Amino acid sequence: MLDKNGIAKRIAKELKDGFYVNLGIGIPTLVANYIPEGINVVLQSENGLLGMGPFPIEGQEDPDLINAGKQTITTLPGSSIFDSALSFGMIRSQKIDLTILGAMEVSEHGDIANWKIPGKMVKGMGGAMDLVASAKNIIVAMQHVNKAGESKLLPKCSLPLTGVNCIKKVVTELAVLDILPEGGFQLLERAPGVSVDYIKQATAGRLIAPEDTPEMKFD
Amino acid sequence: MLDKNGIAKRIAKELKDGFYVNLGIGIPTLVANYIPEGINVVLQSENGLLGMGPFPIEGQEDPDLINAGKQTITTLPGSSIFDSALSFGMIRSQKIDLTILGAMEVSEHGDIANWKIPGKMVKGMGGAMDLVASAKNIIVAMQHVNKAGESKLLPKCSLPLTGVNCIKKVVTELAVLDILPEGGFQLLERAPGVSVDYIKQATAGRLIAPEDTPEMKFD
Amino acid sequence: MINKVVAGADEAIHDLKDGQTLMLGGFGLCGIPENCINALVRKGIKDLTCISNNAGVDDFGIGLLLQSRQVKKMISSYVGENAEFERQLLSGELEVELIPQGTLATRCLAAGYGMPAIFTPAGVGTEVAEGKEVRNFNGKEYLMEYAFEADFAIVKAWKGDTAGNLIYKSTARNFNPVMATAGKITIAEVEELVEAGELDPDQIHTPGVYVHRIFQGVDYEKRIEQRTLRSKNP
Amino acid sequence: MINKVVAGADEAIHDLKDGQTLMLGGFGLCGIPENCINALVRKGIKDLTCISNNAGVDDFGIGLLLQSRQVKKMISSYVGENAEFERQLLSGELEVELIPQGTLATRCLAAGYGMPAIFTPAGVGTEVAEGKEVRNFNGKEYLMEYAFEADFAIVKAWKGDTAGNLIYKSTARNFNPVMATAGKITIAEVEELVEAGELDPDQIHTPGVYVHRIFQGVDYEKRIEQRTLRSKNP
């Protein structure tokens, strides 16, 4: 079973040289710490920055330079700043190669719910609806089951949707799964020490799980 | 009867302090030479410039700095450069207070034809269709009759249209005329030495021409 | 060149009235028009509809307008952590319309570019699509979203000149340039106001034609919402 | 940062094929990609559809592609004075689609901003409206115009860096930034190519994400179409 950093590390293996990548808040942010050697990617922050660098060291923080999570950050050589309209322009026109974000639920048809729980205070969807509706390649990073022990990989989302038929891949503490065009979760890899049966029990949606599914490899 | 500079001079009296103005090619360009004392206007060139200055002196011409007529120009302090999309963005959103352009024909309903003569080589409409469709205030500068002696102020345009129901005012070598919302040319001023009867004969569209129409005044 | 300079925030907003719609630039607390927000609080006008990506925090930014109950409706993409906001929302004092961030930006763009409506895939198949026209282009579905209409747009820039030209700094740019183009009246507050001619025409982010009033702000606090640091020796 | 540098114009256009659609930046002869146009002539590919505001003059700019009969169709707003252009048009060798200049710019914008269509009042009630959807918003009529699709966009900038970021100079900017956002593959030629990090991130006109190939051009002629002067002593 993986911890949050393990999930981030596994997702980082999906990065390809030359990718422009948008990382959501939470586990996705951690992916930046595991970019493989020799792979050049450029991070986009949808508040208007390409070429996001690491957090600043103390004393170097600039209130005018933040990321979409409102955190102080830095820029890397070759970065560029632009307004919010152009930022979402490049997202909609699919110039961003990969979006990684968290989710409360994902359905076997690639629907995602990650912005609203009925009865709870709603904070808003931010840029998530734009990202999932536009990105050509979306990976969801999340826990396989919720705190109540219920699967978050479902036949159909129960929460209000963020986007429809858009998620291609899910990485959890238990597994890597593709979502098939015809619907269904295709199990690709098991987390170290996790059995196929365990994944089956934790997955409520339709699961295609070969008995010989390999274990994840790192490095 | 006015010459081209006279038409330009009369139109310049329509400029108000604080106006952003787009000047078309031909007589409209001359208007810049007659901006009244104490009136500050900013000239827009639709290829991407606000704050257009006079033509350069010899040796100062810059191939990267031209107006929409492809002429070398200069900029004034406070000018700004932008791309063609933003340029027409500010035109469409009516940030330009006044557009002055030439025409082949104008109808009594404010239609304008100025881009195409069937059977002749067509050069294109350039930015004229955008300007006439968007501007809140358009003045046409033109000759009252064509070279064949036929009126260019018509009940209905005979040439392919540039825009419909958009022209508010026409200034010719003979007269200043408003186009009424309900249709028809309202004669406002006669050129020096030109009689109301003369203007009637030169106007094919519906003309409202009071016998006591005043003569234009300059300075 | 046309001079757009006013004395300060109070003069800039002097004719803003109860019940009007305002756009307020900024992302979180970054690039917000601090001086004008304070002046709005002083003026005490009420029933405002505010279009802004966020709603500030309890005691800073738009949060100040919420505290003094001047806001009737917020149109935002993310309203974050704001206890007073939550209280007013749950009590029904405050109306909130949540819309996707890109839709928010593009509806501003549409206004500034004179386009009555735009198409975006954001929100298709979700509750955001309710009541909206859905249209298929090349096999993909889009929502038609309308250009915003705002009585005033209030933005913050880094430098500006007397002709209203604006330059923003770093990610404090965010929504400011698109909102600047979208107000019926646009007010810009800047950290440094210079004479026309001192800014390079090639580096202007917002051409002066879009700006009606400009002034040099004072006492910028620039509060940081999420100070996040890495250790010096990683 | 991702390195976008290619050796020169010939490498930049090496995979451009007969029958493809290109956008070419520039207004008149100002800000045109001279190096790439020359490389296109050398390569001799044919049946091109060119989206460009103008068509050059007989012996410069896109006029060179017309001379060598490489263009099947021009999509422009104004085709100016070009005898060879006129000859090919009248003989039926060349197809021309004339569209309003703002529509041309905004259809590029639409592509770069991922909007499948936009609305503009330009051309309502004229032959430009023929066959197009007309839609009324707030009592005014607009045409629906589609985003362009271009296999390649070829633009000219003043400075660029290895990450593909671009800065334009003066009115040589014109259509270049919007076309840069609109190509499936975007090629930028620049007068000066610098290392990533040498350009101020706040002053980038075209972010590198939109640029796939960049090189430093050579021997810019920058011909002036209408040299217009005032006398020294007015």
Side-chain angles (χ1 to χ4, degrees):
Chain A
M1 201 170 299
L2 304 176
D3 62 5
K4 286 183 179 183
N5 280 294
I7 296 174
K9 204 171 169 186
R10 175 59 193 82
I11 290 176
K13 288 179 68 181
E14 302 292 322
L15 300 173
K16 291 195 175 61
D17 194 38
F19 264 18
Y20 290 88
V21 182
N22 183 293
L23 301 178
I25 295 168
I27 299 174
T29 304
L30 301 173
V31 173
N33 300 331
Y34 301 101
I35 298 168
E37 198 86 19
I39 299 288
N40 266 299
V41 301
V42 176
L43 300 182
Q44 195 236 24
S45 189
E46 68 265 25
N47 55 320
L49 169 64
L50 274 167
M52 181 165 59
F55 300 123
I57 57 173
E58 196 170 349
Q60 310 262 297
E61 65 270 33
D62 176 356
D64 288 333
L65 182 52
I66 64 170
N67 65 16
K70 282 107 180 175
Q71 297 169 307
T72 46
I73 44 141
T74 59
T75 59
L76 296 175
S79 68
S80 56
I81 305 280
F82 34 86
D83 65 47
S84 300
L86 185 58
S87 187
F88 284 93
M90 65 183 66
I91 287 168
R92 272 198 308 269
S93 66
Q94 306 199 319
K95 302 296 173 184
I96 306 302
D97 300 288
L98 176 61
T99 289
I100 303 171
L101 77 174
M104 298 168 183
E105 296 178 347
V106 171
S107 87
E108 65 189 41
H109 296 289
D111 302 345
I112 176 172
N114 73 348
W115 78 285
K116 186 176 186 178
I117 300 175
K120 288 207 182 173
M121 169 69 187
V122 179
K123 292 179 179 172
M125 67 292 279
M129 281 194 184
D130 307 276
L131 283 160
V132 300
S134 301
K136 49 189 168 189
N137 195 3
I138 306 173
I139 301 178
V140 162
M142 66 174 190
Q143 301 299 320
H144 213 103
V145 297
N146 65 19
K147 284 169 190 165
E150 298 158 342
S151 180
K152 297 166 71 175
L153 284 71
L154 303 170
K156 196 169 177 303
C157 293
S158 66
L159 297 171
L161 294 177
T162 309
V164 173
N165 195 13
C166 53
I167 307 303
K168 301 286 199 309
K169 194 181 280 286
V170 181
V171 179
T172 74
E173 78 281 17
L174 304 181
V176 177
L177 310 103
D178 269 359
I179 295 176
L180 300 172
E182 67 272 22
F185 297 99
Q186 172 73 55
L187 179 62
L188 298 178
E189 297 175 20
R190 298 173 292 115
V194 174
S195 70
V196 168
D197 270 357
Y198 191 95
I199 294 165
K200 280 184 183 170
Q201 283 167 29
T203 307
R206 190 170 87 91
L207 180 71
I208 301 97
E211 283 310 315
D212 60 348
T213 300
E215 217 174 66
M216 293 177 197
K217 286 195 182 63
F218 293 92
D219 307 342
Chain B
M1 199 171 300
L2 305 176
D3 61 6
K4 286 182 178 184
N5 280 294
I7 296 175
K9 204 171 170 184
R10 175 59 192 84
I11 289 176
K13 288 179 67 180
E14 303 291 322
L15 300 174
K16 291 195 174 63
D17 194 37
F19 264 17
Y20 290 88
V21 181
N22 184 293
L23 302 177
I25 295 167
I27 300 174
T29 303
L30 301 174
V31 173
N33 300 331
Y34 300 101
I35 299 169
E37 198 86 18
I39 299 289
N40 266 300
V41 302
V42 176
L43 301 181
Q44 195 235 24
S45 189
E46 67 265 26
N47 56 319
L49 170 64
L50 274 167
M52 181 163 62
F55 299 123
I57 56 173
E58 195 169 350
Q60 309 262 297
E61 64 270 32
D62 175 357
D64 288 332
L65 181 52
I66 64 170
N67 66 16
K70 282 107 181 174
Q71 296 169 308
T72 46
I73 44 141
T74 59
T75 59
L76 296 175
S79 69
S80 57
I81 305 280
F82 35 85
D83 65 47
S84 300
L86 185 58
S87 187
F88 284 94
M90 65 183 65
I91 288 168
R92 272 197 309 268
S93 66
Q94 305 199 319
K95 302 296 172 184
I96 306 303
D97 300 288
L98 176 61
T99 289
I100 304 170
L101 77 175
M104 298 167 182
E105 296 178 348
V106 171
S107 86
E108 65 190 40
H109 296 287
D111 301 344
I112 176 173
N114 74 347
W115 77 286
K116 187 176 184 177
I117 300 176
K120 287 207 181 174
M121 169 67 187
V122 179
K123 291 179 179 173
M125 67 290 281
M129 281 192 184
D130 307 275
L131 283 160
V132 299
S134 302
K136 48 188 167 188
N137 196 4
I138 306 172
I139 301 178
V140 162
M142 67 173 190
Q143 301 299 320
H144 214 104
V145 297
N146 65 18
K147 282 168 191 165
E150 298 158 343
S151 179
K152 296 166 72 174
L153 283 71
L154 303 171
K156 197 171 177 302
C157 292
S158 66
L159 296 171
L161 293 178
T162 308
V164 173
N165 195 13
C166 52
I167 307 303
K168 300 286 198 310
K169 195 181 279 285
V170 180
V171 179
T172 74
E173 78 280 17
L174 304 181
V176 178
L177 310 102
D178 268 0
I179 296 176
L180 300 172
E182 68 272 23
F185 297 99
Q186 171 74 54
L187 179 61
L188 298 178
E189 298 174 22
R190 299 172 291 114
V194 175
S195 70
V196 168
D197 269 358
Y198 192 94
I199 294 165
K200 280 184 183 171
Q201 283 167 32
T203 307
R206 190 169 87 90
L207 179 72
I208 300 96
E211 282 310 315
D212 59 349
T213 300
E215 215 172 69
M216 294 176 198
K217 286 194 180 66
F218 293 91
D219 306 345
Chain C
M1 204 53 55
I2 300 158
N3 192 315
K4 312 282 181 85
V5 179
V6 295
D10 295 301
E11 184 184 335
I13 64 150
H14 74 279
D15 52 351
L16 220 150
K17 291 183 183 63
D18 288 354
Q20 287 191 311
T21 298
L22 326 187
M23 288 179 172
L24 291 150
F27 184 94
L29 302 179
C30 180
I32 60 173
E34 296 183 19
N35 280 243
C36 282
I37 291 172
N38 291 337
L40 288 168
V41 172
R42 278 194 297 276
K43 194 169 166 67
I45 43 170
K46 293 212 178 316
D47 294 327
L48 300 173
T49 295
C50 292
I51 302 169
S52 185
N53 190 58
N54 310 96
V57 294
D58 273 334
D59 61 341
F60 197 61
I62 295 175
L64 298 173
L65 292 171
L66 293 166
Q67 268 191 352
S68 49
R69 311 217 186 157
Q70 296 176 260
V71 182
K72 185 182 69 179
K73 182 176 180 181
M74 283 298 312
I75 300 176
S76 302
S77 87
Y78 192 84
V79 289
E81 320 275 353
N82 191 318
E84 176 62 18
F85 184 98
E86 188 163 352
R87 195 198 61 71
Q88 290 184 21
L89 182 60
L90 294 176
S91 72
E93 290 167 68
L94 181 66
E95 198 183 331
V96 177
E97 187 180 343
L98 292 169
I99 62 179
Q101 192 175 144
T103 302
L104 182 64
T106 314
R107 290 176 66 186
C108 295
L109 181 90
Y113 278 69
M115 303 188 292
I118 55 95
F119 294 102
T120 175
V124 168
T126 76
E127 63 181 56
V128 164
E130 280 166 23
K132 290 178 185 162
E133 180 172 330
V134 180
R135 188 149 176 161
N136 193 304
F137 293 95
N138 304 315
K140 183 168 176 143
E141 289 189 327
Y142 295 81
L143 301 184
M144 190 168 81
E145 299 273 8
Y146 292 94
F148 279 124
E149 292 194 30
D151 298 300
F152 285 83
I154 304 180
V155 303
K156 154 75 169 40
W158 177 47
K159 285 190 183 183
D161 71 15
T162 55
N165 294 303
L166 303 178
I167 296 177
Y168 307 89
K169 184 150 167 289
S170 205
T171 59
R173 190 182 317 186
N174 57 64
F175 282 85
N176 284 299
V178 280
M179 288 186 171
T181 65
K184 278 179 207 153
I185 295 175
T186 293
I187 297 168
E189 55 175 270
V190 299
E191 292 180 52
E192 190 186 346
L193 182 63
V194 302
E195 288 300 314
E198 289 187 39
L199 303 179
D200 180 347
D202 283 335
Q203 292 174 15
I204 307 293
H205 294 133
T206 298
V209 69
Y210 282 113
V211 175
H212 302 84
R213 303 169 191 172
I214 189 169
F215 67 95
Q216 183 168 310
V218 293
D219 300 331
Y220 282 103
E221 178 181 340
K222 293 198 186 182
R223 193 183 296 186
I224 292 177
E225 203 166 344
Q226 303 280 347
R227 187 180 307 269
T228 312
L229 303 170
R230 72 178 193 278
S231 83
K232 241 172 197 163
N233 308 302
Chain D
M1 206 52 56
I2 299 159
N3 192 314
K4 311 283 181 82
V5 179
V6 296
D10 295 302
E11 185 185 335
I13 65 149
H14 75 279
D15 52 351
L16 219 151
K17 291 182 185 61
D18 289 353
Q20 287 191 312
T21 298
L22 326 186
M23 288 178 172
L24 292 149
F27 184 94
L29 302 179
C30 181
I32 60 173
E34 296 183 19
N35 280 243
C36 282
I37 291 172
N38 291 336
L40 288 168
V41 172
R42 278 196 297 276
K43 193 168 166 68
I45 42 169
K46 293 211 179 319
D47 295 325
L48 300 173
T49 294
C50 292
I51 302 169
S52 185
N53 190 58
N54 311 95
V57 294
D58 273 334
D59 61 342
F60 197 62
I62 294 176
L64 299 172
L65 291 171
L66 292 166
Q67 268 190 354
S68 49
R69 309 214 188 158
Q70 295 176 259
V71 182
K72 186 183 70 179
K73 182 177 180 180
M74 282 298 313
I75 300 175
S76 303
S77 88
Y78 193 84
V79 290
E81 321 275 352
N82 190 319
E84 176 62 17
F85 184 98
E86 186 164 354
R87 196 198 61 70
Q88 289 184 22
L89 182 60
L90 295 176
S91 72
E93 289 166 69
L94 181 66
E95 198 183 331
V96 177
E97 187 181 343
L98 292 168
I99 63 180
Q101 193 176 142
T103 302
L104 182 64
T106 313
R107 291 176 65 186
C108 295
L109 180 90
Y113 277 69
M115 303 188 291
I118 55 96
F119 294 102
T120 175
V124 168
T126 75
E127 64 181 55
V128 164
E130 280 167 24
K132 288 178 186 161
E133 181 172 330
V134 180
R135 187 149 177 160
N136 192 305
F137 293 94
N138 306 315
K140 183 168 174 142
E141 289 190 327
Y142 294 81
L143 301 184
M144 191 168 79
E145 299 273 7
Y146 292 94
F148 279 125
E149 293 194 29
D151 298 300
F152 286 83
I154 303 180
V155 303
K156 155 74 168 44
W158 177 48
K159 285 190 182 183
D161 71 16
T162 55
N165 294 303
L166 303 178
I167 296 176
Y168 307 89
K169 186 152 167 288
S170 204
T171 59
R173 190 181 317 185
N174 56 63
F175 282 86
N176 283 299
V178 280
M179 289 186 171
T181 65
K184 278 178 207 153
I185 295 175
T186 293
I187 297 167
E189 56 175 272
V190 298
E191 291 181 52
E192 189 186 346
L193 182 63
V194 302
E195 288 300 315
E198 289 188 38
L199 303 179
D200 179 348
D202 284 335
Q203 292 174 15
I204 306 293
H205 294 132
T206 299
V209 68
Y210 282 114
V211 175
H212 301 83
R213 302 169 191 173
I214 189 169
F215 67 94
Q216 183 168 310
V218 293
D219 300 331
Y220 283 102
E221 179 181 337
K222 293 197 185 182
R223 193 184 295 186
I224 292 176
E225 203 165 343
Q226 303 280 348
R227 187 178 307 268
T228 312
L229 303 171
R230 73 178 193 277
S231 83
K232 242 172 197 161
N233 308 304

